[in-house]
Amino acid sequence: MATESPERVPSLRQRRRRPGHVLLLLLPVAILALPAQEAQRLQITTPVVRVPGLPPEFAGLRLALLADIHRGPFMSERRVVRLVHRTNEQKPDVVALGGDYVHRNRKYIPSVWKDLGGLHAPLGVYAVLGNHDHWEGAELTAKAMAHAHITNLTNRSVRLQRGKHSLVIAGLDDPWAGRPDLPAALAGVGPREVAIVICHNPDYVEQAHDPRVKLWLTGHTHGGQVCLPGGRPLVNISRCGYVSGLRQLQGTQVYTTRGVGTVAPPVRWNCPAELPVIELQPATPHAKAGE
C-alpha cells in the first residue's frame, strides 16, 4: 500500500533566508525607482542676484525661469499643468522660458503651449527656442507660442518700464540648432542700459560679450540629471563646465537652472528638478554681483 510522502517543512534556517532573498530581489527595483521618483520632484529655489547698474525701481523684481520642460514620453500634460500652477503661485513679475519644451515628437508642441499659455506675470512671459524645439519644429513652435500669447524673444528684446527707468529683457536663438544674433537682439539698446538675456545654452556666453548684458538666464544642462555627492554631474553636456546655479564671469554673470524635465534615461539623482524664482537687487559698492 502506497504511503503519502510527508510534506516538506522548511527548516528554520531556510525560513530565515527568504526575507534576505526578497530584499536582494527588491534592491535593483529600489535602485531604479528612487531616481525615477526624484525626477518627479520639483524644487522651488529663490536665489538673490545682484545686478550692477540695476535701476532702483526694479529692486526686488521676481523672475521665474522655466527651462527644459521636455513634454513627451517622460513628462505628462498633467505635470505641465501642475508646473504652470506652481509657477503662478510664486507671483513672479516676469516669466522667462528658456527652451526645450518638447522631446522626441512634434505632436507634443500644441499641447505644451496650450498649457504654458496659462502662465501669468504682470510684466510679461517671454520665450526663446532650444535645440529640441528646432529639431522637432521651430516654425510650429513659433506659431503655437503666438497662439498662447507668449512673446517670442528670439534675437529680439523688450524694454520694461518703471517710472523713468527701464530694464531690457532680450532673447537669443539656440546656439546648437539655430542662429543666435546678440547685436540684433540688443539693437536700439542704449550703452548705459542694463540688459538681461535669455539663452538656452550657457556655453554661448563664452563667445558673446557685451557690456550691457549683466545677467544671462540659461538651461540646457539639466544640472547633469545624475550627480555624485557634492553635486558633480556624472555626465555634463556643457563644453565650458556649466552645471547649475550662478556663475560669475568678467563683467557679467550666468544663472543656469537644472530645468524641469529629463531626457533618456528619465531619472534624476542628487539633482532635483528646479523652478528658480530669481530676485533681482542692485549691486552695492561693497558687494560683488550675485552676493
Side-chain angles (χ1 to χ4, degrees), residues 162-233:
R162 281 185 173 176
K164 296 181 179 180
H165 296 275
S166 62
L167 175 66
V168 174
I169 306 292
L172 291 178
D173 202 358
D174 177 69
W176 271 16
R179 295 181 178 180
D181 189 338
L182 186 59
L186 298 179
V189 178
R192 295 188 178 181
E193 288 189 274
V194 172
I196 295 173
V197 173
I198 311 166
C199 182
H200 179 65
N201 191 327
D203 287 352
Y204 189 69
V205 180
E206 304 290 329
Q207 63 188 71
H209 303 283
D210 191 297
R212 294 169 292 182
V213 182
K214 303 302 183 185
L215 175 64
W216 294 76
L217 303 174
T218 67
H220 186 60
T221 68
H222 297 198
Q225 277 193 207
V226 176
C227 292
L228 302 173
R232 182 181 177 184

Side-chain angles (χ1 to χ4, degrees), residues 8-21:
R8 295 188 63 186
V9 178
S11 68
L12 180 60
R13 178 177 297 178
Q14 289 173 322
R15 291 199 299 268
R16 283 177 176 173
R17 284 177 179 171
R18 285 181 178 175
H21 293 161

Side-chain angles (χ1 to χ4, degrees), residues 15 73 83 94 104-105 130 167 169 183 186 202 223 225 248 264 277 280 282:
R15 291 199 299 268
L83 172 65
V94 176
R104 287 190 176 177
N105 199 313
L167 175 66
I169 306 292
L186 298 179
Q225 277 193 207
Q248 303 292 334
V277 183
L280 303 183

Side-chain angles (χ1 to χ4, degrees), residues 54 57-64 91-96 119-127 149-151 153 157-163 165-169 196 198 280:
L54 183 74
E57 288 83 357
F58 290 94
L61 182 140
R62 289 162 53 81
L63 191 153
K91 296 183 173 14
D93 299 297
V94 176
V95 175
L119 289 166
H120 301 295
L123 296 181
V125 181
Y126 307 100
H149 304 290
I150 291 174
T151 302
L153 274 193
S157 65
V158 295
R159 187 175 278 102
L160 309 182
Q161 200 74 32
R162 281 185 173 176
H165 296 275
S166 62
L167 175 66
V168 174
I169 306 292
I196 295 173
I198 311 166
L280 303 183

Side-chain angles (χ1 to χ4, degrees), residues 2 16 43 46 49 61 77 102 146-147 162 166 168 211 231 242 250-251 256 270:
R16 283 177 176 173
Q43 184 178 50
T46 55
V49 177
L61 182 140
E77 184 173 5
V102 297
H147 193 261
R162 281 185 173 176
S166 62
V168 174
Y242 290 90
Q250 186 66 36
T256 303
N270 198 27

Side-chain angles (χ1 to χ4, degrees), residues 7 9 50 68 80 99 102 110 113 121 163 180 186 210-211 230 233 236 246 255 260 272 283:
E7 183 179 354
V9 178
R50 297 196 175 274
D68 303 291
V80 176
V102 297
W113 285 103
L186 298 179
D210 191 297
N236 189 358
L246 190 66
Y255 192 92
V260 177

